[in-house]
């Protein structure tokens, strides 16, 4: 399992992430979030500060998430392995 987190304070809605990982979508505040219905997404929690999505699979093997994180100009996206 792995986690994709978006720092909503840092996110500026440029949406470079959407072009690189189809699981990223725009939320109702004009910021990035993760589609809870996308393949492999177990759950998505959103607070004012953060979106945290739990996904099936390995962080290192998930190239799209890594591309999205690298493409994010303010570095708002983090990807890390978590225990099931
Ligand atoms: S690329 Fe980064 S700053 Fe831009 S919408 Fe995605 S998470 Fe937000």
């Amino acid at each position: 399992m792995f986690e994709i987190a978006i720092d909503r304070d840092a996110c500026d809605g440029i949406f470079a992430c959407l072009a690189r990982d189809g699981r990223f979508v725009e939320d109702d505040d004009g910021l990035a979030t993760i589609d809870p219905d996308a393949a492999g997404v177990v759950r998505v929690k959103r607070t004012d500060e953060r979106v945290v999505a739990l996904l099936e699979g390995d962080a290192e093997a998930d190239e799209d998430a890594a591309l999205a994180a690298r493409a994010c100009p303010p570095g708002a996206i983090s990807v890390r392995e978590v225990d099931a």
Side-chain angles (χ1 to χ4, degrees), residues 2-74:
F2 68 104
E3 189 180 272
I4 299 174
I6 304 168
D7 179 342
R8 299 184 81 240
D9 289 332
C11 177
D12 58 10
I14 294 170
F15 298 127
C17 52
L18 272 64
R20 289 162 176 86
D21 186 332
R23 296 165 298 194
F24 283 75
V25 293
E26 182 177 356
D27 72 11
D28 49 2
D29 289 332
L31 302 176
T33 189
I34 302 293
D35 180 356
D37 297 323
V41 177
V42 177
R43 67 168 180 264
V44 179
K45 291 185 180 174
R46 177 176 141 187
T47 65
D48 287 346
E49 295 82 23
R50 277 160 52 91
V51 170
V52 180
L54 181 67
L55 299 97
E56 297 170 348
D58 299 321
E60 286 185 8
D62 199 288
E63 293 181 10
D64 286 354
L67 284 172
R70 279 203 296 274
C72 177

Side-chain angles (χ1 to χ4, degrees), residues 65-84:
L67 284 172
R70 279 203 296 274
C72 177
I77 301 168
S78 58
V79 182
R80 69 181 184 104
E81 211 60 47
V82 294
D83 293 333

